[in-house]
């Protein structure tokens, strides 16, 4: 019997996981699922993250050492950052255009939107914020009674523990000075940076610093280190192969847990959650779909050419499936590297440098979603954002996506900053929170695909792209190899 390809096995695991979660919530087995199946999903993510942090470290050192001379490193670094920035701005723009065309927030009934608007005005007054669109419902006595009711509601909303928790994190980011992000990139203690997943930029900084210094010492001294780093990388990549063999089962457990927790003991709840936010979700999904199925393939066609439309998806399938199931570009990074290197044929010199940086700073899906979310929330509250405010969204969503850690829900936390930048109430993230996990899964797929696209374009430009159409994508995860 012909073996089923790994990405199909993962898809089957994913679908079975969802079916299991729905069935078990229907039959009242949620507790069993959460106690006995979901932990394997957590183990899977832990295993991948365990590999990801040292892989970023060694891979960047290896990448820098392989590039050879500092001037080509500078050229490639510049190109990489520029390409990442361009795709990010493109993605925010796609999000903004879509949300302004579809207007998902305006599809909600007028009455609730007026309530929302009053709530917003009460909040804006309490924050001494100027209302930019010049409309004031509160000045109309007719709305006074309504306003009283809404005030309490808004306070209740703000007190929601989950939201408050997320807000503290974002406020910390907000309160610091303009150069704080730069300061945060430089670790004072390297081991501390390694110990915390949120500090990936610090690990990247150290790796670049170490790698560049390595280039400046005599080659008889640097050679053993370069060789050792190369071998260590091989070991980590082999660890990925081994973990990936069990991926279909792990993905089953992961999805059973995630969907199971959403549904609890009532399947109807999942549907309910989506009904209210369906237009918003649909706008995000259309935007993400455009990126994956139209824009990236187009970029590929124009700049890389070599790969066919389906060839690209076949090559990236395992990484995309994993991004969807784990909601974390960092956890997916080891697999992204294997797919891009082995299946797309991008030289290791490029992948080891471009991809780890991309996983951390390039999040096209996240910024697209942030743009849609902010404008949707404004529409829902009858607030017309000015062109200036929309441009602010482009800027802050770009920066917020760069600053987002590559872990689940990071984009949602950073959304608070984007909301604040245009004078909207950050507590509104509570409104879109219920559907956030599923959208997070989808935007992570875009994030990972964007990294792969950019690294292929850079590789092509450097003459380091060798695609082989006939290659079996599963070979990338062959444990028996060597
Ligand atoms: N989960 C996303 C990632 O890891 C980040 C986010 O949008 O929340 O790429």
């Amino acid at each position: 019997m012909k073996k089923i390809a790994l990405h199909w096995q993962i898809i089957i695991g994913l679908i079975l996981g969802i079916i299991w979660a729905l069935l078990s919530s229907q039959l009242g087995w949620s507790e069993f699922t959460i106690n006995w199946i979901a932990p394997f999903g957590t183990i899977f993510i832990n295993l991948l993250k365990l590999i990801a942090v040292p892989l970023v470290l060694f891979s960047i050192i290896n990448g820098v050492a392989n590039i050879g001379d500092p001037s080509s490193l500078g050229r490639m670094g510049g190109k990489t950052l520029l390409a990442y920035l361009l795709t990010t701005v493109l993605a925010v723009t796609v999000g903004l255009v879509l949300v302004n065309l579809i207007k998902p927030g305006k599809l909600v009934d007028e009455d609730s939107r007026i309530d929302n608007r009053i709530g917003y005005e009460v909040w804006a007054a309490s924050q001494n914020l100027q209302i930019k669109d010049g409309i004031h419902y509160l000045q109309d006595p007719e709305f006074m009674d309504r306003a009283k009711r809404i005030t309490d509601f808004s306070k209740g909303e703000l007190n929601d523990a989950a939201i408050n928790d997320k807000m503290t994190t974002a406020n910390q980011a907000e309160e610091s000075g303009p150069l704080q992000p730069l300061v945060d990139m430089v670790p004072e203690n390297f081991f501390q940076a390694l110990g915390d997943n949120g500090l990936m930029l610090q690990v990247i900084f150290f790796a670049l610093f170490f790698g560049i210094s390595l280039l400046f010492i005599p080659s008889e001294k640097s050679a053993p280190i370069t060789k050792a780093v190369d071998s260590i990388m091989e070991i980590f990549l082999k660890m990925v192969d081994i973990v990936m063999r069990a991926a279909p089962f792990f993905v089953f457990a992961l999805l059973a847990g995630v969907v199971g927790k959403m549904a609890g003991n009532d399947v109807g709840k999942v549907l309910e959650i989506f009904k209210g936010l369906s237009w918003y979700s649909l706008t995000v999904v259309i935007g993400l779909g455009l990126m994956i199925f139209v824009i990236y393939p187009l970029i590929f066609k124009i700049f890389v050419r070599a790969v066919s439309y389906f060839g690209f998806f076949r090559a990236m399938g395992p990484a995309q499936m994993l991004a969807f199931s784990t909601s974390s570009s960092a956890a997916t990074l080891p697999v992204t590297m294997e797919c891009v290197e082995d299946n797309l044929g991008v030289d290791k010199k490029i992948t080891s440098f471009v991809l780890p940086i991309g996983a951390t700073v390039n999040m096209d899906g996240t910024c697209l979603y942030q743009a849609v979310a902010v404008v949707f929330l404004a529409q829902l509250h009858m607030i017309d954002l000015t062109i200036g405010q929309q441009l602010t969204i482009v800027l802050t969503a770009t920066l917020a996506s760069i600053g987002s850690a590559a872990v689940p829900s990071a984009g949602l936390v950073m959304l608070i900053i984007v909301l604040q930048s245009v004078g909207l109430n950050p507590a509104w993230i509570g409104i879109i929170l219920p559907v956030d996990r599923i959208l997070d899964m989808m935007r992570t797929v875009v994030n990972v695909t964007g990294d792969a696209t950019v690294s292929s374009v850079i590789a092509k430009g450097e003459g380091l792209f060798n695609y082989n159409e006939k290659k079996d994508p599963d070979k990338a995860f062959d444990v028996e190899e060597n």
Side-chain angles (χ1 to χ4, degrees):
M1 199 180 80
K2 202 169 164 274
K3 229 181 109 231
I4 308 171
L6 182 67
H7 62 276
W8 284 116
Q9 290 182 29
I10 298 179
I11 294 181
I12 294 171
L14 204 142
I15 295 172
L16 285 181
I18 296 174
I19 295 177
W20 175 274
L22 297 180
L23 261 183
S24 73
S25 82
Q26 186 77 333
L27 300 170
W29 296 348
S30 288
E31 225 183 286
F32 173 82
T33 306
I34 287 167
N35 286 338
W36 294 95
I37 297 182
F40 289 99
T42 315
I43 291 177
F44 183 45
I45 297 204
N46 287 353
L47 278 172
L48 287 168
K49 281 198 186 154
L50 171 76
I51 302 168
V53 181
L55 188 65
V56 168
L57 174 69
F58 290 113
S59 147
I60 293 182
I61 297 176
N62 195 33
V64 174
N66 277 331
I67 291 169
D69 72 295
S71 69
S72 34
L73 176 71
R75 192 192 62 224
M76 225 170 79
K79 266 204 229 170
T80 305
L81 291 184
L82 184 72
Y84 280 150
L85 200 67
L86 285 178
T87 55
T88 305
V89 172
L90 182 72
V92 191
T93 312
V94 169
L96 277 182
V97 169
L98 277 177
V99 72
N100 280 301
L101 280 180
I102 302 176
K103 302 190 172 66
K106 296 194 175 165
L107 297 167
V108 173
D109 71 289
E110 177 105 8
D111 237 24
S112 354
R113 289 177 62 223
I114 294 180
D115 276 358
N116 290 344
R117 171 76 201 199
I118 296 171
Y120 160 68
E121 288 185 15
V122 171
W123 173 81
S126 74
Q127 305 287 312
N128 288 327
L129 279 175
Q130 188 206 351
I131 294 177
K132 291 246 167 66
D133 60 9
I135 307 167
H136 295 277
Y137 276 76
L138 276 184
Q139 284 171 3
D140 189 334
E142 205 189 301
F143 289 113
M144 264 345 236
D145 261 359
R146 243 166 130 152
K148 264 204 173 128
R149 188 162 47 86
I150 314 288
T151 322
D152 286 330
F153 178 63
S154 303
K155 274 200 196 119
E157 227 180 341
L158 270 165
N159 285 337
D160 188 307
I163 303 168
N164 271 345
D165 179 42
K166 293 210 163 30
M167 287 186 40
T168 343
T169 326
N171 280 341
Q172 279 163 357
E174 174 79 347
E175 271 162 20
S176 38
L179 286 185
Q180 195 57 38
L182 207 64
V183 176
D184 288 343
M185 268 178 70
V186 185
E188 58 178 296
N189 180 334
F190 170 61
F191 293 98
Q192 218 168 21
L194 274 185
D196 191 335
N197 281 329
L199 301 178
M200 211 64 129
L201 275 176
Q202 296 195 347
V203 177
I204 292 179
F205 174 85
F206 176 83
L208 284 172
F209 194 13
F210 189 96
I212 292 168
S213 310
L214 194 66
L215 290 181
F216 285 103
I217 61 172
S219 59
E220 71 271 18
K221 290 256 161 68
S222 64
I225 298 292
T226 315
K227 264 184 110 173
V229 169
D230 200 50
S231 304
I232 293 173
M233 277 267 302
E234 282 298 312
I235 300 172
F236 280 114
L237 291 176
K238 191 51 75 185
M239 286 162 90
V240 180
D241 292 346
I242 296 168
V243 174
M244 280 302 281
R245 288 283 123 187
F249 164 70
F250 279 136
V251 166
F252 163 79
L254 201 58
L255 266 287
V258 171
V259 181
K261 273 178 205 153
M262 257 175 154
N265 271 331
D266 176 11
V267 188
K269 232 164 80 188
V270 182
L271 285 181
E272 273 312 302
I273 288 174
F274 282 99
K275 252 199 339 228
L277 292 164
S278 53
W279 281 106
Y280 155 70
S281 310
L282 200 70
T283 312
V284 177
V285 172
I286 293 175
L288 297 177
L290 270 179
M291 293 302 294
I292 293 242
F293 297 113
V294 181
I295 294 176
Y296 293 139
L298 216 65
I299 295 179
F300 240 86
K301 186 137 189 74
I302 297 170
F303 295 102
V304 188
R305 280 187 217 108
V307 189
S308 71
Y309 189 84
F310 292 107
F312 176 65
F313 289 102
R314 232 163 54 96
M316 287 305 296
Q320 291 174 323
M321 286 306 126
L322 215 65
F324 185 81
S325 354
T326 60
S327 278
S328 164
S329 332
T332 312
L333 176 67
V335 177
T336 316
M337 287 178 75
E338 295 231 2
C339 287
V340 175
E341 210 171 293
D342 294 354
N343 299 344
L344 284 178
V346 174
D347 196 280
K348 209 163 133 192
K349 267 190 200 163
I350 304 286
T351 52
S352 56
F353 176 73
V354 177
L355 285 176
I357 295 181
T360 317
V361 304
N362 185 47
M363 297 195 182
D364 301 344
T366 301
C367 65
L368 185 150
Y369 136 87
Q370 285 172 336
V372 175
V374 172
V375 180
F376 163 75
L377 289 168
Q379 291 170 348
L380 199 64
H381 293 78
M382 282 191 150
I383 299 159
D384 277 324
L385 294 173
T386 59
I387 295 289
Q389 282 175 308
Q390 304 234 7
L391 287 176
T392 310
I393 295 177
V394 175
L395 185 73
T396 43
T398 302
L399 293 177
S401 74
I402 294 173
S404 301
V407 296
S409 289
L412 180 74
V413 174
M414 295 308 268
L415 182 63
I416 294 170
I417 291 172
V418 189
L419 281 167
Q420 281 172 338
S421 74
V422 285
L424 301 181
N425 188 346
W428 292 346
I429 60 163
I431 299 173
I432 52 169
L433 193 67
V435 283
D436 198 66
R437 179 61 193 226
I438 178 84
L439 296 180
D440 192 0
M441 294 159 94
M442 296 188 205
R443 63 188 188 242
T444 310
V445 178
V446 175
N447 292 347
V448 165
T449 312
D451 299 342
T453 307
V454 167
S455 67
S456 304
V457 172
I458 306 256
K460 185 74 182 183
E462 299 281 325
L464 293 168
F465 189 85
N466 300 300
Y467 178 63
N468 176 4
E469 178 89 55
K470 304 237 160 46
K471 195 162 186 279
D472 171 10
D474 276 0
K475 270 275 179 296
F477 306 101
D478 216 339
V479 211
E480 271 83 51
E481 228 180 5
N482 306 329

